[in-house]
Amino acid sequence: MTNAAKTIVGNWKLHGSLQENAARLAALKAGCRSDDALAVCVPFPYLAQAQQLLQGSAIGWGAQNVSEHAKGAFTGEVSATMLADFGCGCVIVGHSERRSLYGEDDATVVRKAQAVAAAGMTPIVCVGETLSERERGDTAQVVTRQLAAVLTVASEELKHRLVVAYEPVWAIGTGRAASEEDVREVHALLRGQLKEAGVNGARLLYGGSVKANNAKALLNIAGVDGALVGGASLDAEEFLAIVQAARA
Ligand code: PGA
């Protein structure tokens, strides 16, 4: 991923097969330009396929989760160095589905982000409030707490590599993206917090129901450096339309 264009990251979640992925990746390769900044985060078993098919293309690849541990008796886990071995450039850390379904707390998210940065990859740390937190007026408190957990202990390496994705939980997979005003407000808040911690270069993505038809508007909001895209990243044509919307 380069800093040139807005960054578009696809999160395939628990979807795909060798055949399906091959077709999708071929379509993405054919449709993207060398100056696009895009990546796909694929399920672990397909990392080798992504590495093989995307090598030499403008498209980066990454994972959706990582172990906080380097090695040891942790059955079922995958370490950051294993991901780096497959040429991963980025790893999604602390996605709300990991937080809510698999009990990841702020402390776990921090350890995972540190592990990713230490292995030379980009951690895409997700923050975002639930609907009830928003309705209670707790949005600012929740997202700043989640980001502060990372910033207070971040190594210089992590500060240097950090990407943050603001993903309001109620906007994920619902078809109801956050309003431009909400995105602008939260991004300004997070940007201020990053600056205060001396993290000036971090990209701030928005995620939550980004589609071809709202991408341009969302990407044009001040402070939005790109998008983390779930459902719409499974359709090559739609994902490419979002990549196109990200071009200057
Ligand atoms: P969505 O998912 O685009 O399907 O809302 C975004 C995400 O979970 O990262």
Side-chain angles (χ1 to χ4, degrees):
M1 293 190 292
T2 68
N3 280 316
K6 303 228 172 188
T7 302
I8 306 298
V9 180
N11 173 11
W12 288 5
K13 307 195 181 185
L14 187 56
H15 296 282
S17 68
L18 284 173
Q19 201 182 350
E20 218 179 287
N21 306 343
R24 187 182 303 131
L25 294 175
L28 292 183
K29 268 166 78 173
C32 75
R33 297 193 323 208
S34 60
D35 58 344
D36 288 330
L38 76 161
V40 289
C41 292
V42 306
F44 291 139
Y46 300 127
L47 285 171
Q49 186 187 25
Q51 183 185 40
Q52 193 195 347
L53 297 182
L54 295 176
Q55 208 134 91
S57 80
I59 308 169
W61 62 94
Q64 303 164 17
N65 185 28
V66 66
S67 174
E68 63 198 270
H69 304 289
K71 61 172 147 180
F74 302 104
T75 301
E77 292 291 274
V78 174
S79 76
T81 50
M82 291 173 188
L83 296 177
D85 246 359
F86 275 97
C88 277
C90 59
V91 183
I92 298 171
V93 178
H95 188 279
S96 68
E97 286 150 20
R98 299 295 320 169
R99 292 180 191 258
S100 69
L101 301 173
Y102 300 96
E104 286 188 15
D105 58 12
D106 288 342
T108 310
V109 171
V110 173
R111 288 192 291 269
K112 290 186 173 196
Q114 301 271 42
V116 171
M121 300 178 291
T122 299
I124 302 173
V125 174
C126 301
V127 301
E129 80 288 2
T130 62
L131 186 58
S132 58
E133 287 164 342
R134 171 160 285 270
E135 285 171 349
R136 280 202 304 271
D138 289 344
T139 298
Q141 187 215 318
V142 169
V143 298
T144 51
R145 187 207 74 222
Q146 290 171 332
L147 183 57
V150 175
L151 294 177
T152 46
V153 296
S155 60
E156 282 309 308
E157 186 66 26
L158 175 52
K159 286 184 178 176
H160 174 66
R161 294 185 174 276
L162 183 66
V163 170
V164 177
Y166 169 52
E167 295 208 308
V169 179
W170 47 270
I172 295 174
T174 58
R176 184 186 154 208
S179 71
E180 292 179 30
E181 198 186 332
D182 289 342
V183 177
R184 192 177 304 112
E185 203 174 291
V186 175
H187 274 236
L189 182 71
L190 296 173
R191 181 72 67 198
Q193 199 182 355
L194 285 164
K195 280 216 173 107
E196 224 165 87
V199 184
N200 295 315
R203 271 162 297 159
L204 249 177
L205 315 182
Y206 166 78
S209 294
V210 176
K211 308 286 177 201
N213 62 12
N214 63 11
K216 191 118 207 147
L218 287 164
L219 289 165
N220 277 340
I221 298 169
V224 173
D225 300 320
L228 182 53
V229 183
S233 73
L234 296 172
D235 179 329
E237 205 178 310
E238 174 147 30
F239 192 59
L240 283 169
I242 295 170
V243 170
Q244 198 173 355
R247 289 175 191 155

